[in-house]
Amino acid sequence: MTDAIIDAFARIPQSRTSAEIIQQIELLILEGVLRDHERLPSERDLSSRFDVSRPILREALKELESRGLLVSHHGGGTFVADVIGQIFSKPVIELIGRHQKATQDYLEYRRELEGMTAQFAAERATRFDRDMLTRIMEEMRAAHASASAEGGLKADVEFHSAIGEAAHNMILLHTMRACYRLLSEGIFFSREVLFAQAEAGHRLLAQHEAIYDAIMSGDAQAARASAQTHIDFIISATQAAERTGEWARISQLRLQQRARQSSIPAPAATVVGQKQRKER
């Protein structure tokens, strides 16, 4: 296999119909090549690369817009719509965020999902997938060495997303992206919660290294086990943080209650009784 550059927008066969353009762009979105909010090339560039007339291209783009897959901004170009990862409606997302059990169920579900995705990635990753994982792993190590929380979070999300891509399963890929979207929006917990645990940064890096090594060596079972061990740590760290937070809340309530009681005058009956005793 050569490293020759491949054009995502391949030349349309002789028939040159809008349906073929639609199918090709839909597959690019499904395969994760085109991402949410990504801008498509200009109309002139696209018509040249597809080798079709502009009227045929416009017909295809208009149909994709009607399907909710593309969004056109007047004078600003055409973009992939915000459709991937939007499994839940806004009211449902807010509902999930208000209930603690949703976090437990999310992590339980993600544990199985991460394990299966890592297993598939170990079995199916191409040389290009491994190159991408290596680049991200190097970024993660650099972020850890420089104690960059922002860099670490970015590399973490990219790492798991790249594993989803290396699994070469479209449904898994978009399900994973939906999971990370909920996480990145702070629906369940923030990554800072994990670092409340002793040596958490070192442990997280070691867990990612284990997943990476298993995928790179093609060891599917080790990849699955390493991914699930990683989520097990997140589950235990999150539960510990929740317990600590709950204990702190209860302690604060007790303190507030005692403070209120100490500043409240004695009940009227007690005051009257004290006055009668003094008169006697």
Side-chain angles (χ1 to χ4, degrees), residues 129-145 151-152 154-156 158-160 162-163 201-216:
D129 293 323
R130 292 191 179 95
D131 288 346
M132 176 63 72
L133 284 168
T134 298
R135 180 185 64 77
I136 296 170
M137 199 67 236
E138 289 170 353
E139 291 176 359
M140 190 179 293
R141 292 168 187 147
H144 177 74
K154 180 175 179 291
D156 191 324
E158 286 188 355
F159 180 73
H160 288 286
I163 293 174
H202 295 292
R203 294 176 68 182
L204 284 169
L205 179 62
Q207 290 160 16
H208 286 124
E209 293 275 14
I211 299 169
Y212 168 77
D213 289 342
I215 292 174
M216 294 298 284

Side-chain angles (χ1 to χ4, degrees), residues 88-114:
F88 302 110
S89 64
K90 189 172 184 294
V92 173
I93 289 174
E94 292 174 350
L95 181 63
I96 289 172
R98 289 195 295 269
H99 294 272
Q100 182 180 356
K101 189 178 184 301
T103 298
Q104 299 168 3
D105 288 352
Y106 164 79
L107 288 170
E108 180 181 69
Y109 173 67
R110 190 177 153 197
R111 182 184 189 275
E112 298 307 311
L113 199 65
E114 292 276 6

